[in-house]
Amino acid sequence: MADASPDLPTTPRASAPLPDFCSLPTLFALLVVGTITACLMWLAPGGDLRVSSLSVGVLYTAWLAILLTVVLCKAKPLMQRLPGILPYAAVWLVLMSMVGLTSAVVAWLDHNLGAGLTPPSMARFVRDTLLATGLLGAAMLRYFYVVAQWQVRVEAVAQAQVAALQARIRPHFLFNSMNAVAALIRVDPDAAERTVENLAELFRAALGSEGAAQGTLGEEWRLVDQYLEIEALRLGARLQVERDIDTPEALPMPRLLLQPLVENAIRHGIQPSRAGGVVRLGGRRVEGGVAVTVDNPLADAPATPGTGHGLRSVRERVRLQFGERATVKAEARDGRFVVTLFLPEVARARPGRR
């Protein structure tokens, strides 16, 4: 009896990511491997130990490394479409084909010109070159493959950490905001409606899909404004805000990165004081990136002690998104608590620093 169950669709194997052949580190690695190959062939038994032969060999391998880098850089999109580890097999085949062809051409030209730079046997020169290239090329590609797999795992861990941090928002903020909405429904329905809309935007940023987890600095400032509008309904004239912002709006950054800093400024600087105070928001371009500051007055009365999760969350997310060049500094200065972020404009690809 024939099996009536439908055939299950097969999922193609994911393609192993290739290194960036268009980058200088990859070119440098090829130059080093080529130089090592030339030195090994020069020191091999029966080889020509003249310094001129070594110089020519190093120049040949350097030229070949540059040529290979250009070819692999252009061919990478095509090879990356292959499943599994076949992209690396394709790179190895391209490497061997080009080395074999160029070494044969070089040997043929040398023999016809009578320069004496290659061994008398052209077949032996091509064979030895291919053997050395095949072994060292395989070792180099293995290294690139292991590094690529390690980067994928690190990236997966980083994305999981960002997702976990992205999904957290303080419950007391939700409760306070909903209480403010309830109080405004009868007094000022329009303000209550605006508050609900602002809450929707904030929670869409905090709990939305993975695609919405990445925003821009301009969007982040608008989310901060929406949050401050909600808090202004609760605190009234006690909350004053000063802005001095001149930053590039298109700078990529995680959503709700600045909101925890503003929330901490209100919770620890404005809320404990009966007179309230001023929260200052600053942003300016500096050499190599953007500096963002959030500062609040130090309250006379002790604030409700926090867990420090907000600042730790910001530090971790900044590190994951922008790398080690980014900094988050928090300090008390002139009666105010100041948090300063330095965000490099050329960031790592996080979730997507690759």
Side-chain angles (χ1 to χ4, degrees):
M1 183 175 178
D3 187 2
S5 61
D7 293 334
L8 295 176
T10 57
T11 303
R13 290 181 62 191
S15 176
L18 290 170
D20 184 8
F21 292 111
C22 304
S23 65
L24 289 177
T26 304
L27 174 59
F28 178 75
L30 289 174
L31 288 172
V32 170
V33 171
T35 302
I36 292 174
T37 303
C39 292
L40 289 176
M41 295 183 67
W42 184 67
L43 294 172
D48 188 356
L49 296 179
R50 290 179 301 171
V51 176
S52 60
S53 298
L54 177 61
S55 302
V56 171
V58 171
L59 289 175
Y60 167 67
T61 55
W63 169 80
L64 186 57
I66 296 173
L67 179 62
L68 281 169
T69 301
V70 173
V71 172
L72 293 175
C73 176
K74 298 298 183 181
K76 178 185 174 181
L78 295 176
M79 294 186 291
Q80 193 64 79
R81 298 176 185 175
L82 300 174
I85 62 170
L86 289 181
Y88 283 85
V91 171
W92 189 82
L93 289 176
V94 169
L95 178 68
M96 295 296 290
S97 300
M98 291 191 63
V99 169
L101 178 62
T102 55
S103 60
V105 171
V106 167
W108 180 81
L109 289 174
D110 178 63
H111 289 175
N112 281 273
L113 295 175
L117 298 175
T118 60
S121 173
M122 187 172 70
R124 177 189 168 188
F125 174 72
V126 174
R127 182 201 65 190
D128 293 345
T129 304
L130 284 175
L131 181 61
T133 302
L135 293 175
L136 290 176
M140 182 181 64
L141 290 175
R142 174 61 181 174
Y143 167 77
F144 282 142
Y145 176 77
V146 171
V147 170
Q149 294 301 307
W150 173 77
Q151 289 177 338
V152 168
R153 288 193 291 271
V154 170
E155 187 66 30
V157 172
Q159 289 180 355
Q161 291 175 340
V162 169
L165 294 169
Q166 191 76 30
R168 297 183 183 181
I169 189 167
R170 297 188 180 189
H172 73 81
F173 164 61
L174 173 61
F175 299 148
N176 290 338
S177 301
M178 295 308 296
N179 288 335
V181 172
L184 287 170
I185 287 177
R186 293 184 180 181
V187 179
D188 191 346
D190 292 337
E193 182 180 354
R194 289 197 307 272
T195 303
V196 172
E197 291 174 350
N198 289 335
L199 272 174
E201 288 297 323
L202 287 167
F203 277 87
R204 184 178 295 112
L207 307 174
S209 62
E210 183 180 352
Q214 188 77 2
T216 63
L217 184 53
E219 294 171 348
E220 187 66 12
W221 285 126
R222 287 187 282 274
L223 288 173
V224 166
D225 288 340
Q226 291 171 332
Y227 169 73
L228 287 171
E229 187 175 343
I230 294 172
E231 291 287 29
L233 294 174
R234 183 170 65 90
L235 299 171
R238 293 168 58 198
L239 173 60
Q240 302 176 48
V241 181
E242 293 181 358
R243 296 174 175 83
D244 182 14
I245 299 171
D246 181 18
T247 54
E249 291 201 353
L251 178 67
M253 65 188 308
R255 289 286 184 92
L256 287 181
L257 184 69
L258 300 182
Q259 184 272 338
L261 299 179
V262 179
E263 182 177 353
N264 281 346
I266 293 174
R267 184 185 184 195
H268 298 286
I270 307 301
Q271 188 170 297
S273 173
R274 291 185 178 182
V278 179
V279 173
R280 296 172 181 167
L281 306 178
R284 66 187 187 280
R285 295 175 183 268
V286 295
E287 184 178 356
V290 173
V292 175
T293 58
V294 177
D295 73 85
N296 57 272
L298 293 173
D300 296 330
T304 303
T307 62
H309 166 73
L311 194 55
R312 286 200 305 270
S313 170
V314 170
R315 281 197 173 100
E316 184 68 10
R317 296 171 69 197
V318 165
R319 183 185 65 83
L320 292 172
Q321 173 72 24
F322 295 94
E324 301 301 329
R325 290 181 56 205
T327 58
V328 179
K329 297 180 180 179
E331 58 182 344
R333 188 171 63 211
D334 298 330
R336 301 185 67 85
F337 187 77
V338 183
V339 179
T340 305
L341 284 69
F342 170 71
L343 309 176
E345 288 201 70
V346 181
R348 301 189 310 172
R350 293 254 195 238
R353 179 209 102 224
R354 188 178 301 171

